[in-house]
Amino acid sequence: MSFVLYDGPDRSEELASLLKGENPAQLLDVEVLRAVGSLSLEYLVKEPAALKGLPLELISNAGSSECARLLLPDAQVVRVYFGRDTRPPFVIRQLLAESEQLFRVRSDSEVSFFVFAQLKSALPLRLTNRVLSTGMRPPQIANGLAQLMWDTPLSS
């Protein structure tokens, strides 16, 4: 979700040029976007049959990019991270760093799910079976959650 600041015709800028991306759109405050992302997750975990009833813990720590934890039926923990400022060309770099971090430090029962405000892809990007990213629109998050449910190997 983003807003385009438009000062009207006085600044001799046309609204069409702003929507085409000639001027960068300003994103909402990070806490507003985190709240929107969290509400989307909360809604999505209640609706589809595959996700209904799964425990979701919302995290409101403003200093962390982690915004929620979802417990899958096989006791795997999905850590949901929100990234407002990560531009699409840098998504892969961040996912690679997270994959390396998971490999070195965390347990095999953790999965990282990134929601990037600036990622526009309709389909989720799965770097490894433990690192997944998606855009912020509810259908994108729903696609990512569905892929998590179908593709995440069960812990042994």
Side-chain angles (χ1 to χ4, degrees):
M1 174 182 280
S2 62
F3 282 99
V4 176
L5 292 179
Y6 178 62
D7 293 329
D10 296 341
R11 298 245 347 221
S12 72
E13 295 175 357
E14 294 183 20
L15 183 57
S17 69
L18 291 173
L19 296 177
K20 289 179 185 171
E22 293 171 11
N23 292 332
Q26 284 193 338
L27 293 171
L28 288 175
D29 177 72
V30 69
E31 291 308 314
V32 171
L33 288 175
R34 274 177 66 114
V36 169
S38 295
L39 288 172
S40 295
L41 280 168
E42 208 169 22
Y43 170 76
L44 291 169
V45 168
K46 290 179 183 174
E47 288 305 309
L51 300 173
K52 193 172 251 178
L54 290 180
L56 176 71
E57 174 190 358
L58 298 178
I59 298 169
S60 60
N61 182 358
S64 170
S65 63
E66 186 177 11
C67 65
R69 290 185 190 135
L70 178 66
L71 184 61
L72 297 182
D74 64 349
Q76 285 195 342
V77 175
V78 178
R79 293 181 180 269
V80 182
Y81 297 95
F82 174 72
R84 181 192 78 160
D85 299 322
T86 305
R87 293 188 357 241
F90 301 103
V91 165
I92 297 294
R93 185 179 308 157
Q94 186 164 348
L95 297 179
L96 285 169
E98 178 65 14
S99 182
E100 184 177 313
Q101 177 79 359
L102 280 172
F103 180 74
R104 282 188 292 121
V105 178
R106 298 197 193 132
S107 75
D108 289 336
S109 64
E110 289 187 18
V111 176
S112 295
F113 181 80
F114 285 86
V115 177
F116 292 113
Q118 297 186 41
L119 193 59
K120 306 294 185 206
S121 172
L123 297 174
L125 173 61
R126 186 153 207 158
L127 187 63
T128 69
N129 63 353
R130 295 179 58 205
V131 179
L132 175 80
S133 71
T134 189
M136 191 171 166
R137 293 187 177 116
Q140 294 169 315
I141 296 172
N143 286 341
L145 290 173
Q147 186 170 356
L148 271 177
M149 293 301 295
W150 295 327
D151 294 346
T152 301
L154 298 175
S155 296
S156 23

